[in-house]
Every structure is written in structure tokens, then in C-alpha cells.
Amino acid sequence: MTLGGWITFLCSMGFFISLFAWCIYKTLIIKKNTVKDFHEALEAYDPDHSEPPGGKSCK
Amino acid sequence: MKSENWNSRLGVILAVSGSAVGLGNFLKFPGQVAEHGGAAFMIAYALSFCFMGVPISIVEWAMGRHGGSKGYHSSAGILGFFCGTKKMAYVGILGALLTLIIFCYYIYIEAWCLGYAWNFLTHSLNFTSFEESNSFFVKFIGALKDGSAFGFGMDKVLVFFVFSFILNFWLIHRGVSRGIEFFCRYAMPTLIVLAVIMVVRMMTLTDVSPGHPERSINQGLGFMWNPVKVILESQDESGRWVKDRQLVGGADIASAREAMEKAPADSAPQRIVEISVTKQLMNPSLWVAAAGQMFFSLTVGFGAIMTYASYLKKRDDIVLSSITSCSANEFCEVCLGGLITVPAAVAFFGVSGLVGAGLSLFDLGFKVLPLFFASLPFGQLFGFLFFFLLFLSAVTSSLSMLQPSMAFIEESMGLRRNFSTLLLCFVCTFISGFVFYFSQGLKALDTFDFWMGQVAIYVFATIQLIVFAWHYGAKKGVRLANTGSDIKLPKFFAVIVKYVTPLILVALFVTWLAQDVFGIIGSGKLSPYIRDLIGGDSHEVSNVAWMAVFIIFAVYAFFASMLYMSKRYDCLGKKIGRTIK
């Protein structure tokens, strides 16, 4: 394999391994920094309404 | 009917990753990289991942979770819900239809993997030549004559087909969490461990071909990853330069130069040319291959992810989960699959030998590699591990193909699990039986794969994108995806999903149609799958192809009649109407 081949190989591997490792880290290690109120707000929020929580009421 | 949910976040990620990781990761991807050039292909592949694979995946996750929160789990229900009309549910049926048909031929290939694993375990595969390996494969799958796949014995695929079929239906009958999630929780880590074992074994191979010192793993890696392709060309009688073979490694190039110098004066002139990355990137077929590989590998656009995501809870994360499952698939494909098959096969056969034997999924997987394993020390064990790895990846994928139609039947008919499993099993037995019986030249399988596994997927993925980004609204869609997600999508994602991804998808589809189907670009020949239906150019009309097309329409009509009779979707417009008010 040529030097260019090694560079391609390592860049491809590096990109996808780093992305996968970062995703696993985020998924498994980092705890969800959420609070109960936030969840309640999300529960109340229906994306079919055009305005996000705190915005104008659709009623 | 009791609503189902995933047990854990890891479970759903493993299930979606499992649906994406399949035979293509280990068999098709390495062949594609080798064929189209390492760096050039990977540039197109990475861009396709960012601008097509991940966006469509997130769209499917977002649509699925939102539809699921309103009680819809099938692509028909979810598309109908998003568009607020039952008419759109008839379009959504396509998602259930294409996954069902793909399942019916995929299970046949799944059975090959299990059969090869079993035969390696029992030391029954001791090939000494490519002809022996090819002959076993052809007899095993019954490719010589229609109906010849039927027959008992471990050298026939039937036993393994029945086992795979029962396993899939047993798992799907157990439900989303107790069946699919349970299986994927064990199968995916096992699959990765097996793949790592195979990678370590392949990378430590030495002296695979003692008579050919130039053949090595290093040459195999160079064949795949070298950015500049070195080609030996010969001049034909009309004066055109025609590709002879690809040269990889200093020794290969030096021996070619030596042969050229020693060649008799009256022989055809030869030359060695180098094709740079830039020149390779100018070739549209490279982009079609890279984007197509990305698209099919991630299992996006099938409607399977949409159904899986519909079992999420309303505030479950989808953005991170989606990117995690996509990256898990890419890890298996690039970092594991890319290191197992082609480097080993080149080390054994050499570049010319491998290209001659074939780089396609079936040739590489079921003809070249079994011969390679048979010649290795402890090759029977490694052969078993490799094909068992393929079998596990195939089961995790086939389960995801079965669930959308299961969800549709349960949703539309309101059937209990036992009855819906029985009904689906009946339909699948008929269609799989058709594929299994008409095994000569794999005509039935190929026809289904062309119409459902390629054409319908492009169409359905485009429909999903248009519904999400244009009908529902890209900005609103981004807000929907961000709801409850651990990482937030940037605002420009709305632009990508509204303009960039649909454009790439449509361009890819049109180029594919022009190049491979209608032959407007390139060969100028109509696709054999079209010729099978209309004949011409000394190509006979195929009755099997026509029967396959008829089955597709019959199953669609069956699903459409279920939808028509169902009252479950009558309130779609009203629901949306109330929300808007």
C-alpha cells in the first residue's frame, strides 16, 4: 500500500471510529442534563402547533 | 390493543444498527471501494453520509416517533397522519410492501449464510479449487434448475431456510422488546466481537500464497485504499486503449514493466497509466456507487426505521440515537468489513484472480471466501465464525424488514399478535416459496431486488423527505426532531433536509435510471430487468419476472384492501384538523 493509501485508510477509519466513539460516549456516559420541569414542558409541547413552548398559544 | 415500547435506549440503538448492518457491510462495501478507488470513493461516501444518510435517517426517526406518539406504527399510518389524509396512507403502504418483499428474498440469502456456517462447522467444505467452490454454491442454492433447491440434507439450503424462517417469525411474534430488542442486544455485540476476531486473523496472515510473494495483505489493502489507481492498458485493433488489469504494489508494477519490455514486437502495445483522485471524482458512476452504497447500507428510506422509531416514547432522544446507529453501521462497514474480505481474498488470489472471480456480493462471499477459508490453518473454524457473523447480521436486518408489515397488519385489522403473525407467515411463505422455487439463475430474487430493493426504495425515500420537509415543514420538522433530544440539530439542517438531500436523492435516482436502467448514459443498453418484461435484443420475455411483478401488485392490492376496510385511518384528516384549529 502506498503512503496515499495509508493516509486514505487512516483518515477513513479515524473519521468513523471517532464519530462512533463520540456517539457511544454521549449515549452511555453523559447523563441527561434534564429537569422534571423541562420534561413536563416537552410533554405539553405538541410540534403540530406552529409555536414552540413559551410562544404564542395556538388557541 | 396493547401498545409496545422499547425497553431501553441502548436496545433501540442496537436494533436500528442491527437493521442497517447486513451482508452489504462485509461483502459489498469492500468490493465497491476496491472497484472505484480508495480515496475518491471514500470522499463521495463520506459526503453521502453527511448529506444523505444521516438526514434521511433523522427524518425517519422523527416521523416514526411522532406518528407512534399518536398511535400509528406503520408507514401507511404515519404518512397518512403527517399528511392528514387517508389517501396518503395508500402511498405509505409502499413502505410495508417493499420491506415485506425484501424480507421474502433476504431470508433465502440468510439461509445460505447459516448453511455455510453449519457446513464449515462440520468440516464439510474442503474446496481445493474455485470450480469446486462454485459448483457447491450453485447446487446448494439450487441455481441450476427451478425447484432444485428443494431437498433434504445439509448440502441443500432448504433446512436452513426453514430454520431461519421459523427463527424470524418466533422473534417477531415475541414482540418489539421481547423479540427484536432481546435478539439484537445479544446479536450485535456478538457480531462485533466475531468481526474483530476475523479482522485480527486477517491482518496477521502471512505467506498465504507461497508461490506468489507479491500477494499479501498489504497488496490487498493497497488494492482497496490506494488513492491513485495504476492501470495496465492494451491497444486494440481499432487503436483504442482498453483496461487490462489494475496493478497494485511496486512488485506488481515492476513485473508488468518487465513483461512489457520483453514482449515480442508484434504483440499489442501496452502502457501503464495512473488515474488521479481528481480524475476518478469526475466519473459520475463513482458518485452513484458511493451514494447508493451509503443509501442501501444504512437501510434508510425503507420505512423500517420509521416503524422502529414509532415504538419510542414521546420524549425519547432521536437525534443522538439516529447518529449513533448510523455511525455504528459505518464502524462495522468501514472499520471491520473493509478489513476482512478483500485484503484476504487478494492475498490468496491476487488482484487479477479476485477480479476474475468477481467482486460482487455473491461471488466474493459465497465462492471466493469459502475457498480461501478452506485453505487456511483452522480455516473451518474461521469459516464458521465468518458465516455465523453474516447470519447474525442478516437476522438483525430481516427482523427490521418484517416488523413494518406486521405493524401494518396489526394496526389496520386490529388483530391480536397470534393472528397477525399467522397471516403474515402465510403471505411470506407464499412469496418466499416463489423465490425459493424459481431459483434458476436467481431470477425471482433478482427481479424482486430490482423493483423493490432498488426502484421502490428510491421512490419511497423521496416521498418521505417531501412529506417531512415540504408538507410538514422543514423548520417544524427540526423542532420536532430536537424535542427531547440530547443533542440539537442546527438550524441549517432544515435547509439540508429541504433542498440538499432531496436534490441528491433525485439526482442519484435519475442518474441510476439513465445509466443502469435505460442505458441513456454509458452502455446504451436497456436493463436486463426491463428486457425480462418487454423482450427484444435476443432477450426472451421472462415468465418468472412477470409473475414476480404480478405478486408485487397482488400484495399491494391485498394491503390496500385491508386499508380500505379499516376504520383505523378514517379519522386521520379529522385529527390533524382538530390540531390545526
Side-chain angles (χ1 to χ4, degrees):
Chain A
M1 187 151 67
T2 61
L3 178 66
W6 279 108
I7 292 170
T8 309
F9 173 69
L10 293 174
C11 286
S12 304
M13 294 275 168
F15 174 67
F16 287 114
I17 289 176
S18 309
L19 180 66
F20 184 48
W22 179 80
C23 289
I24 293 290
Y25 172 76
K26 286 287 247 184
T27 305
L28 296 179
I29 309 296
I30 296 179
K31 289 183 179 175
K32 283 185 104 179
N33 185 21
T34 52
V35 289
K36 198 181 165 193
D37 291 348
F38 176 62
H39 278 315
E40 282 171 358
L42 290 174
E43 285 292 333
Y45 167 51
D46 187 339
D48 283 331
H49 292 259
S50 54
E51 292 296 325
K56 278 184 183 175
S57 165
C58 294
K59 292 169 190 173
Chain B
M1 202 165 29
K2 194 183 164 189
S3 179
E4 283 192 285
N5 282 114
W6 297 101
N7 263 339
S8 68
R9 183 182 181 186
L10 186 63
V12 63
I13 290 173
L14 287 174
V16 176
S17 311
S19 82
V21 176
L23 303 181
N25 292 56
F26 297 97
L27 298 178
K28 197 175 175 193
F29 171 76
Q32 293 272 310
V33 181
E35 200 177 330
H36 292 98
F41 184 86
M42 288 312 294
I43 289 169
Y45 186 78
L47 287 173
S48 305
F49 176 77
C50 298
F51 293 106
M52 193 180 69
V54 171
I56 301 177
S57 174
I58 291 174
V59 165
E60 277 211 47
W61 278 78
M63 289 179 79
R65 185 188 63 174
H66 192 43
S69 72
K70 308 290 177 186
Y72 296 104
H73 298 289
S74 72
S75 52
I78 294 168
L79 276 190
F81 165 70
F82 266 81
C83 294
T85 166
K86 189 175 178 177
K87 284 175 192 161
M88 205 56 197
Y90 287 97
V91 178
I93 289 176
L94 189 58
L97 172 74
L98 71 91
T99 46
L100 178 74
I101 301 282
I102 292 172
F103 169 84
C104 290
Y105 68 78
Y106 199 79
I107 189 90
Y108 180 41
I109 304 168
E110 192 174 307
W112 303 354
C113 301
L114 182 63
Y116 269 73
W118 174 266
N119 280 297
F120 266 117
L121 190 66
T122 55
H123 292 239
S124 306
L125 302 181
N126 298 300
F127 307 125
T128 53
S129 67
F130 182 76
E131 287 68 34
E132 273 183 38
S133 175
N134 186 41
S135 166
F136 176 84
F137 174 68
V138 168
K139 283 180 190 159
F140 181 72
I141 66 165
L144 286 174
K145 194 181 164 193
D146 286 340
S148 60
F150 285 96
F152 289 99
M154 295 305 163
D155 59 344
K156 292 276 182 188
V157 71
L158 181 64
V159 177
F160 306 104
F161 178 80
V162 172
F163 177 84
S164 307
F165 201 85
I166 293 170
L167 175 69
N168 273 274
F169 273 91
W170 177 67
L171 288 170
I172 220 79
H173 178 256
R174 281 171 64 90
V176 170
S177 58
R178 287 176 62 237
I180 300 170
E181 186 175 352
F182 166 80
F183 184 79
C184 291
R185 259 180 174 273
Y186 294 99
M188 283 305 289
T190 310
L191 184 153
I192 289 176
V193 170
L194 288 178
V196 170
I197 293 172
M198 293 304 300
V199 167
V200 172
R201 181 67 196 108
M202 296 304 159
M203 290 298 110
T204 51
L205 280 174
T206 50
D207 289 336
V208 183
S209 304
H212 299 273
E214 80 283 2
R215 293 180 188 174
S216 63
I217 290 293
N218 193 38
Q219 192 193 24
L221 288 171
F223 178 51
M224 274 186 74
W225 299 102
N226 280 354
V228 178
K229 295 284 156 196
V230 184
I231 308 290
L232 177 67
E233 290 183 338
S234 300
Q235 202 169 28
D236 64 11
E237 288 170 356
S238 63
R240 278 189 318 152
W241 289 99
V242 183
K243 181 181 171 181
D244 232 14
R245 65 189 174 97
Q246 189 180 333
L247 304 172
V248 182
D252 204 13
I253 296 170
S255 70
R257 282 193 202 284
E258 201 180 318
M260 280 165 64
E261 284 165 10
K262 287 181 183 172
D266 58 342
S267 63
Q270 288 187 314
R271 68 176 184 183
I272 294 173
V273 289
E274 292 187 351
I275 307 174
S276 68
V277 175
T278 325
K279 201 173 175 187
Q280 289 173 53
L281 282 170
M282 296 296 175
N283 181 4
S285 63
L286 177 138
W287 289 90
V288 173
Q293 174 63 25
M294 172 58 63
F295 183 62
F296 293 114
S297 171
L298 284 176
T299 326
V300 289
F302 287 56
I305 296 176
M306 192 191 273
T307 298
Y308 271 7
S310 73
Y311 298 104
L312 289 168
K313 295 186 183 84
K314 193 178 175 182
R315 68 182 180 206
D316 279 345
D317 163 81
I318 55 168
V319 178
L320 182 58
S321 300
S322 166
I323 298 173
T324 305
S325 56
C326 288
S327 64
N329 176 66
E330 293 317 307
F331 173 74
C332 289
E333 183 155 293
V334 179
C335 307
L336 300 176
L339 292 179
I340 297 175
T341 50
V342 166
V346 168
F348 186 69
F349 284 94
V351 173
S352 306
L354 178 60
V355 172
L359 276 171
S360 74
L361 190 147
F362 294 162
D363 289 336
L364 185 62
F366 297 97
K367 295 174 186 173
V368 174
L369 288 174
L371 175 58
F372 164 72
F373 286 124
S375 69
L376 269 188
F378 301 107
Q380 301 288 331
L381 172 68
F382 286 107
F384 162 71
L385 292 178
F386 179 71
F387 282 100
F388 190 64
L389 151 80
L390 290 187
F391 175 68
L392 287 181
S393 67
V395 177
T396 53
S397 299
S398 61
L399 285 173
S400 72
M401 307 289 177
L402 210 44
Q403 186 58 30
S405 41
M406 180 67 129
F408 174 70
I409 290 172
E410 287 186 339
E411 189 177 280
S412 60
M413 306 290 282
L415 293 176
R416 292 167 68 95
R417 180 56 57 91
N418 286 347
F419 292 113
S420 54
T421 309
L422 266 177
L423 179 61
L424 191 59
C425 187
F426 175 76
V427 174
C428 288
T429 306
F430 173 71
I431 305 170
S432 296
F434 173 79
V435 174
F436 198 86
Y437 181 80
F438 291 104
S439 55
Q440 187 180 353
L442 300 176
K443 180 61 82 183
L445 185 153
D446 282 344
T447 306
F448 277 142
D449 183 48
F450 176 77
W451 291 108
M452 291 284 98
Q454 295 182 57
V455 177
I457 290 175
Y458 278 125
V459 173
F460 192 61
T462 311
I463 292 170
Q464 284 180 65
L465 271 176
I466 291 169
V467 167
F468 184 82
W470 289 84
H471 183 81
Y472 187 72
K475 284 181 184 169
K476 207 164 103 179
V478 170
R479 281 207 302 274
L480 171 69
N482 280 339
T483 309
S485 289
D486 286 349
I487 54 172
K488 304 294 176 196
L489 291 170
K491 282 184 181 172
F492 67 79
F493 185 82
V495 178
I496 292 176
V497 90
K498 190 166 184 177
Y499 301 105
V500 182
T501 311
L503 264 177
I504 295 175
L505 203 57
V506 170
L508 182 64
F509 187 44
V510 170
T511 314
W512 177 73
L513 284 176
Q515 186 175 283
D516 296 337
V517 180
F518 297 111
I520 300 164
I521 308 172
S523 68
K525 286 180 184 170
L526 208 56
S527 161
Y529 302 104
I530 306 284
R531 286 270 176 236
D532 280 344
L533 300 179
I534 61 171
D537 271 358
S538 70
H539 193 115
E540 283 183 22
V541 172
S542 165
N543 291 333
V544 178
W546 268 110
M547 280 192 275
V549 171
F550 175 76
I551 286 173
I552 292 170
F553 280 106
V555 177
Y556 181 84
F558 177 60
F559 280 173
S561 63
M562 285 164 72
L563 184 70
Y564 179 75
M565 286 187 289
S566 173
K567 290 191 168 59
R568 180 77 175 78
Y569 306 97
D570 290 347
C571 56
L572 279 170
K574 292 171 195 167
K575 269 195 174 179
I576 284 283
R578 266 208 304 274
T579 314
I580 291 167
K581 281 171 197 170

